[in-house]
Amino acid sequence: MAASTATTPTTSNLCFSNSHSLFQHKRTSFLCAKNSIIKRKCKHKGAVTCMVLEKSSTAEPTKPKKQNAYKLQTLTSWLLKQEQDGVIDAELTIVLSSISMACKQIASLVQRAGISKLTEVHGAVNAQGEDQKKLDVVSNEVFSNCLRASGRTGIIASEEEDVPVAVEESYYGNYIVVFDPLDGSSNIDAAVSTGSIFGIYSPNDDCLLDLEDTTMLDSVEQRCIVNVCQPGNNLLAAGYCMYSSAVIFVLTLGNGVFSFTLDPMFGEFILTQENIQIPKAGKIYAFNEGNYQLWDDRLKKYIDHLKDPGPSGNPYSARYIGSLVGDFHRTLLYGGIYGYPRDKKSRNGKLRLLYECAPMSFIVEQAGGKGSDGQQRILDIQPAGIHQRVPLYIGSIEEVEKLEKYLS
């Protein structure tokens, strides 16, 4: 390689590469691969530069960089990246981190529920008149304490509380968080999938609890209720955590749906699915058909249609867990429809609009699906109360729209 020992090139040099040539100047070296660069113009005035004038058609294609098999993105690092990109602010990052911590604690409690005797009835009923299990009460405490300790929440509203709670001033923040701490807890004895559901609304400074002034408690509660009762269109973020064979944390910030799986080795949620898209149609339906005789005739016709094999000879498959989070997660991944309709016993259905139906509908719409009460979009409904119930039909957009035609 004579070129490597040649005299220092001048500004008039034109370098032609028909073999491997090494141009050296001081501490800077340039390796020109054979046949890859046809012509270079080299300058020498304190530095060496090579200008590519033409590339050979026989140049080898650039090989893509191999992904590091050991590179994992945690929920924490993902949230920090969203903050860096301006998707969320630092305050919301802290709130979401506190929620993920609550989910880790609840996951541990669920796994040990039988051992710790947490599956027993607590002896009280919640705001909806449902029997509370010990695990319901403990999960609610865990969720509430994590949100208070974050110092970034101003109001929290839970399925297990009669009214929203204004966080005391020493822990006070801005965000409004609504949640169901343990959905599906009635199945906990049988180790069936359960989950936590949450939604986060815009900051609001109008509800600060003054613990010294008990005479104002009623007006404070009223302001809290007004601030919390927002339509799902106002949601900033929503998600759920499913406690099953794996602990899965699904989240949307209004820019797609992302799924994280808890790695028990590290104790961290790891990003496992990005920009989840629900199939536009599916062949799975999830309804509690035990209530079939209590349903509206139009809904019965719809269900009968799903069970009719038709020309294809393939009816829909029925899959019903009885846990909203479990049934919804399967629907999100495989497509189809989940429904909890109104019936003669429950005129407005049984699922709560604020902290169950709205967050799930926000998630499914971000994934390209649809959430409806059979007549209108769930996210458009203005809540009239904290524990308001509505019918819910949610899943693939084509399946939900087909149902709406039957009910119209």
Side-chain angles (χ1 to χ4, degrees):
M1 297 177 60
S4 63
T5 58
T7 58
T8 304
T10 66
T11 57
S12 61
N13 290 144
L14 284 178
C15 309
F16 296 88
S17 176
N18 293 321
S19 61
H20 282 79
S21 302
L22 186 66
F23 298 88
Q24 293 183 330
H25 175 68
K26 294 185 179 180
R27 296 184 180 180
T28 305
S29 299
F30 298 90
L31 181 63
C32 302
K34 181 179 181 181
N35 293 329
S36 62
I37 306 297
I38 301 301
K39 192 174 182 181
R40 297 175 184 77
K41 184 175 181 181
C42 302
K43 295 183 178 180
H44 172 54
K45 280 188 179 180
V48 176
T49 62
C50 286
M51 181 174 66
V52 178
L53 300 182
E54 184 181 353
K55 287 191 177 181
S56 170
S57 59
T58 60
E60 296 181 2
T62 304
K63 293 181 179 179
K65 291 183 179 180
K66 290 184 178 180
Q67 292 289 336
N68 188 339
Y70 298 98
K71 184 179 180 181
L72 299 175
Q73 186 169 17
T74 66
L75 174 61
T76 301
S77 62
W78 185 84
L79 287 173
L80 291 173
K81 181 64 168 59
Q82 303 307 304
E83 180 186 335
Q84 186 180 40
D85 293 344
V87 178
I88 56 176
D89 60 18
E91 306 281 303
L92 189 52
T93 300
I94 294 172
V95 172
L96 290 166
S97 295
S98 70
I99 290 174
S100 72
M101 177 57 70
C103 291
K104 290 178 189 178
Q105 293 183 48
I106 294 172
S108 179
L109 290 169
V110 168
Q111 290 171 344
R112 291 183 49 82
I115 300 171
S116 304
K117 307 297 183 185
L118 292 175
T119 61
E120 299 172 356
V121 176
H122 179 63
V125 295
N126 62 16
Q128 287 70 250
E130 301 165 336
D131 288 332
Q132 286 182 312
K133 294 197 173 184
K134 290 181 179 179
L135 193 55
D136 287 315
V137 177
V138 175
S139 298
N140 186 62
E141 285 296 315
V142 168
F143 227 99
S144 298
N145 289 340
C146 284
L147 288 170
R148 285 189 177 98
S150 75
R152 300 299 185 275
T153 49
I155 311 170
I156 55 178
S158 166
E159 178 188 15
E160 306 302 330
E161 304 284 354
D162 293 339
V163 295
V165 177
V167 178
E168 54 267 31
E169 189 170 3
S170 56
Y171 295 99
Y172 186 76
N174 288 324
Y175 286 99
I176 299 169
V177 182
V178 296
F179 59 92
D180 181 351
L182 194 62
D183 170 74
S185 61
S186 60
N187 296 322
I188 197 73
D189 314 63
V192 173
S193 298
T194 55
S196 301
I197 307 170
F198 64 89
I200 303 175
Y201 287 93
S202 302
N204 196 307
D205 296 327
D206 294 334
C207 187
L208 179 60
L209 179 61
D210 183 356
L211 295 178
E212 301 298 326
D213 188 1
T214 57
T215 61
M216 295 296 293
L217 189 60
D218 289 342
S219 62
V220 167
E221 288 180 358
Q222 289 173 8
R223 290 207 310 273
C224 285
I225 291 172
V226 169
N227 292 328
V228 169
C229 288
Q230 301 184 43
N233 278 326
N234 292 355
L235 280 165
L236 297 178
Y240 61 86
C241 189
M242 183 174 70
Y243 314 113
S244 185
S245 57
V247 180
I248 298 176
F249 188 89
V250 175
L251 175 66
T252 180
L253 304 175
N255 61 346
V257 180
F258 299 81
S259 179
F260 303 80
T261 302
L262 183 63
D263 188 333
M265 183 180 295
F266 304 128
E268 292 282 354
F269 282 108
I270 307 299
L271 179 64
T272 47
Q273 289 178 284
E274 299 183 66
N275 293 311
I276 298 172
Q277 288 291 303
I278 186 172
K280 292 187 179 301
K283 283 291 184 178
I284 298 175
Y285 72 97
F287 285 71
N288 181 4
E289 291 191 77
N291 293 325
Y292 180 88
Q293 296 299 332
L294 303 176
W295 290 342
D296 182 274
D297 289 340
R298 293 170 297 176
L299 181 59
K300 290 180 182 179
K301 288 180 181 178
Y302 169 74
I303 295 296
D304 293 341
H305 159 73
L306 298 184
K307 293 191 287 187
D308 183 357
S312 67
N314 294 315
Y316 280 60
S317 297
R319 299 285 186 273
Y320 186 72
I321 298 171
S323 168
L324 173 58
V325 171
D327 279 312
F328 177 84
H329 189 69
R330 182 199 58 248
T331 304
L332 180 66
L333 298 183
Y334 302 156
I337 185 170
Y338 168 86
Y340 207 117
R342 58 168 51 94
D343 56 39
K344 294 178 181 178
K345 288 190 307 180
S346 306
R347 296 293 180 181
N348 296 314
K350 289 196 68 176
L351 298 178
R352 272 67 56 149
L353 170 62
L354 190 65
Y355 43 80
E356 290 178 327
C357 300
M360 290 306 204
S361 295
F362 187 49
I363 294 168
V364 83
E365 287 197 7
Q366 287 296 314
K370 187 172 184 178
S372 170
D373 70 350
Q375 307 294 330
Q376 63 177 322
R377 180 172 173 253
I378 289 290
L379 297 184
D380 290 335
I381 302 175
Q382 172 68 49
I386 300 300
H387 305 294
Q388 178 182 346
R389 301 173 189 262
V390 293
L392 176 66
Y393 305 100
I394 194 167
S396 299
I397 189 166
E398 291 183 9
E399 303 301 334
V400 175
E401 288 178 350
K402 183 190 298 182
L403 175 135
E404 288 178 325
K405 290 179 181 177
Y406 272 84
L407 297 184
S408 62

